Amino acid sequence: MKNSIAESVANFLKDYKPFSFLSFEDLKSISKTIRVIHLEKNQKLFQINDTLHDVFYVMNSGVIHLSVISDAEETLLNKCYSGDVFGLRPFFAKNNYQMTAKTNEEAILYAIPIESFKPFVVQNTEVLHFLLESFAQNSNNSADKNNNKLISDSVQLSEFQNDFSFFQALTYNKKPLVVNYDQTIREVATLMADNLLDSVFVNNDNKLVGIVTDADFRGKVATGKQAIQSHIDKIMTHAVITVSENISLAEAQLVMLSHKVHHLCVTIDGTIYTDVKGVITQNDLVQAQANSPGVLIKEIKRSTNPSELKSTRNSLANIIQQAVTKNIPLQHIFNVSGEITLAIIRRAIEMSILELGSPPVPFAFLSIGSQGRKEQLLLTDHDNFLIFNDVDIQQVRGVKDYFNQLTKKVNEILEKVGFKHCEFGHNANNQNYSKSLTEWEKQYESWINTPGEFTNEHCSIFFDYEFVFGDQNLENSITETIFKAKNKALFFDYLGNDALKKPAPLNFFKKFNEEEDGQHKDKFNIKSKAINQLVDIARLLAIHHGLRGINNTFSRYKELAIKDTSNTEIYLNAADTFLLLSRYRTLEGLKNDNSGEYIDLEKISKSDKEKLKESLHVLKDLEEIVKDTFQLTQFS
């Protein structure tokens, strides 16, 4: 590419992330390797199962649609416009493309060779983190784009093509061998054999100068090129690649790939001038990938008893802890955790059916509450219900008896896995929540048409459901029943008042409303005094605005920001606040191995405490939206 063209491309790239993190000179250097591609309307750049390209892409002009095949139909995931970056799969995965990129109009794009861009990724953590976050994203909503958002080339999380293991912290040997440069080859070989290690680092005057691996012994000593009495520096490799502590799998993988090495030296600050703290090998990367969500899903499908499912759930807990620590976007963690949790429940149902025999009629098993919203990161209770096809009156008893046995076995398995029994009895083993489709339709109509009269105070969680197993048409029928109801004024009145009656997080003096007595005295209940109200208001407004199939609180607020543009800023703040509160709760729960509801504010830094307090102000704004939107009278 001529210098003038390269400079023109560099000028274009500098306004978009991650290129804006690089110097203009670096961009000019990269631009010299870039190919300009012209595509006609409806032309495909790549499609599902195509072999990965050796480049990734940046849109210059035009529009490209990214789509996947879902339920035998092409589903649009996103649209790429000027400045958008896509096609990042070759950076992070080895399998073929998992989506199709096709022009919607004539387009010009830049193809950036991955090999020429990798050094800039390795050297610049901002570029790396931006690419990692992009690969983790999975937005199905094209309206959720902004100018500097990269387009995920990952498919739906249920297929786990955007492998979460790339964000895991690594476990590695933290007691590596370090020898002096003037020790003999024989001495070092003996040390390596005694410690069952395949590598050793070499120091000279407390400075890291080299590495020796078993490959060096095979190639330089076993062949007779060097005598075993020689000093170890005669066979060492001088270029030692160093990295800092707490490196992620993705970072380690990229560094190994770019430098074509199989060992990384971990030092305090990632340079050769500080103490050696460990060694990372390719085998460590393989071991880390063995705990990826995709592998866990396969393990779940192979499980034959509750203890195996429990082991998988424990592995998920480790992934969650690592992901939260690494500041992976919480919404992504919710999605991954939700998919694995649903897979565990699904397997529990399959195991129960294998024991009982085939069900007498089609049915659907649905999770509700936090599981239904895919917001359950901690091992709390399990809430669910079951719908079965309508049957003749003479068959009802036998059908109900089968499903009572089925749900009992499922719940027993889930409780052995570690999920607690719901204190309100909101699970399918309760005969009130295992009913025919007609009974369920009447139940939902009752909740909507006569709230308060025949409505228990926890019915609202039944409007947060996620299909788990069986005939999805039954779930669709329930959704249709909810949204076809003509007059929901009383129902909105009931839900609105219920949301506004939640205990306030802050008192009159703008201090946290902490528990006044009991075992949690002086702690803040972040669930009942903050998160619950965000969840309730999101549910109320989602039903009001007809948002079908969107159960997650964060996603509901993001969609409301598009639907109700007069309150966009409030909804976006609410979405961020929900993630912030959920993060505090998750950290508390992981630390204390509990539900994380009660936060010890004394153990939170002053700045975090102020951030938490500031975020809660959005609740007042949401309350005003509820009051302005609905006539809250009867249940006040």
Side-chain angles (χ1 to χ4, degrees), residues 253-265:
Q253 188 178 48
L254 282 175
V255 173
M256 281 190 185
L257 283 172
S258 62
H259 292 282
K260 296 181 174 62
V261 297
H262 300 97
H263 296 76
L264 301 176
C265 180

Side-chain angles (χ1 to χ4, degrees), residues 607-622:
S607 62
D608 279 352
K609 199 181 297 185
E610 286 304 310
K611 182 194 291 186
L612 178 58
K613 186 181 292 185
E614 183 66 27
S615 72
L616 294 171
H617 293 159
V618 76
L619 291 173
K620 287 294 181 186
D621 295 329
L622 291 172

Side-chain angles (χ1 to χ4, degrees), residues 524-543:
F524 176 62
N525 191 327
I526 198 167
K527 179 184 176 184
S528 69
K529 295 179 180 176
I531 293 176
N532 280 356
Q533 189 175 39
L534 280 168
V535 170
D536 289 350
I537 293 177
R539 179 193 303 114
L540 166 63
L541 294 172
I543 297 173

Side-chain angles (χ1 to χ4, degrees), residues 541 544-545 547 556-572 621-622 625-626 628-629:
L541 294 172
H544 172 68
H545 285 282
L547 303 184
R556 280 171 167 169
Y557 281 122
K558 297 287 278 187
E559 192 67 24
L560 286 167
I562 298 167
K563 279 274 187 180
D564 180 10
T565 55
S566 60
N567 294 303
T568 292
E569 187 175 349
I570 295 173
Y571 293 134
L572 293 178
D621 295 329
L622 291 172
I625 290 175
V626 170
D628 291 343
T629 305

Side-chain angles (χ1 to χ4, degrees), residues 568-588:
T568 292
E569 187 175 349
I570 295 173
Y571 293 134
L572 293 178
N573 287 339
D576 291 341
T577 297
F578 175 74
L579 294 185
L580 179 68
L581 298 178
S582 298
R583 181 178 179 80
Y584 279 119
R585 180 184 176 183
T586 302
L587 289 170
E588 188 75 19

Side-chain angles (χ1 to χ4, degrees), residues 129-259:
H129 290 158
F130 193 75
L131 295 181
L132 290 175
E133 185 176 339
S134 168
F135 194 70
Q137 287 173 2
N138 184 38
S139 173
N140 290 348
N141 185 354
S142 60
D144 193 32
K145 294 170 75 280
N146 59 52
N147 194 40
N148 279 331
K149 175 186 173 185
L150 283 82
I151 305 302
S152 167
D153 73 329
S154 304
V155 299
Q156 295 177 2
L157 277 165
S158 58
E159 299 180 27
F160 285 104
Q161 301 301 334
N162 51 342
D163 199 337
F164 199 69
S165 68
F166 293 107
F167 305 95
Q168 290 176 235
L170 276 168
T171 300
Y172 52 84
N173 177 14
K174 295 186 178 179
K175 294 182 179 179
L177 275 178
V178 181
V179 299
N180 288 323
Y181 77 102
D182 56 358
Q183 288 183 251
T184 67
I185 292 173
R186 181 196 292 273
E187 289 174 329
V188 175
T190 301
L191 282 172
M192 290 173 66
D194 289 345
N195 288 276
L196 301 177
L197 294 175
D198 68 350
S199 64
V200 61
F201 295 115
V202 183
N203 265 354
N204 183 5
D205 291 333
N206 292 321
K207 179 184 175 183
L208 187 63
V209 293
I211 181 174
V212 175
T213 69
D214 55 359
D216 294 314
F217 282 96
R218 291 194 304 271
K220 301 172 184 177
V221 180
T223 57
K225 293 180 180 179
Q226 288 292 338
I228 59 175
Q229 294 83 12
S230 301
H231 289 171
I232 194 66
D233 65 338
K234 299 297 182 183
I235 66 167
M236 73 181 183
T237 300
H238 292 275
V240 185
I241 308 303
T242 55
V243 294
S244 59
E245 297 180 89
N246 299 320
I247 188 172
S248 73
L249 171 57
E251 293 165 318
Q253 188 178 48
L254 282 175
V255 173
M256 281 190 185
L257 283 172
S258 62
H259 292 282

Side-chain angles (χ1 to χ4, degrees), residues 5-172:
I5 299 176
E7 190 160 327
S8 175
V9 172
N11 270 313
F12 175 84
L13 294 177
K14 69 180 175 58
D15 293 328
Y16 300 96
K17 292 180 181 178
F19 310 104
S20 57
F21 296 128
L22 303 176
S23 70
F24 192 71
E25 288 305 312
D26 286 342
L27 290 179
K28 284 200 295 185
S29 174
I30 294 166
S31 297
K32 291 175 183 177
T33 69
I34 288 175
R35 288 187 291 114
V36 181
I37 297 177
H38 297 257
L39 297 178
E40 300 298 323
K41 183 178 180 180
N42 295 326
Q43 186 175 346
K44 289 179 181 177
L45 179 64
F46 54 78
Q47 61 186 0
I48 296 170
N49 288 328
D50 274 0
T51 302
L52 296 180
H53 299 177
D54 59 0
V55 297
F56 67 101
Y57 299 97
V58 184
M59 291 296 298
N60 174 279
S61 62
V63 181
I64 277 188
H65 285 186
L66 301 179
S67 61
V68 296
I69 301 299
S70 179
D71 296 328
E73 293 184 0
E74 188 175 34
T75 301
L76 179 66
L77 284 188
N78 229 319
K79 300 177 183 178
C80 304
Y81 300 94
S82 179
D84 283 337
V85 179
F86 67 99
L88 291 171
R89 176 160 291 275
F91 263 112
F92 302 112
K94 300 301 180 187
N95 53 330
N96 295 340
Y97 284 111
Q98 300 299 304
M99 60 169 51
T100 296
K102 180 180 177 182
T103 58
N104 189 50
E105 59 184 59
E106 187 178 343
I108 298 174
L109 49 150
Y110 300 134
I112 303 180
I114 287 173
E115 284 305 314
S116 67
F117 195 69
K118 268 183 183 176
F120 299 97
V121 177
V122 174
Q123 297 161 14
N124 192 309
T125 56
E126 287 181 302
V127 174
L128 174 62
H129 290 158
F130 193 75
L131 295 181
L132 290 175
E133 185 176 339
S134 168
F135 194 70
Q137 287 173 2
N138 184 38
S139 173
N140 290 348
N141 185 354
S142 60
D144 193 32
K145 294 170 75 280
N146 59 52
N147 194 40
N148 279 331
K149 175 186 173 185
L150 283 82
I151 305 302
S152 167
D153 73 329
S154 304
V155 299
Q156 295 177 2
L157 277 165
S158 58
E159 299 180 27
F160 285 104
Q161 301 301 334
N162 51 342
D163 199 337
F164 199 69
S165 68
F166 293 107
F167 305 95
Q168 290 176 235
L170 276 168
T171 300
Y172 52 84

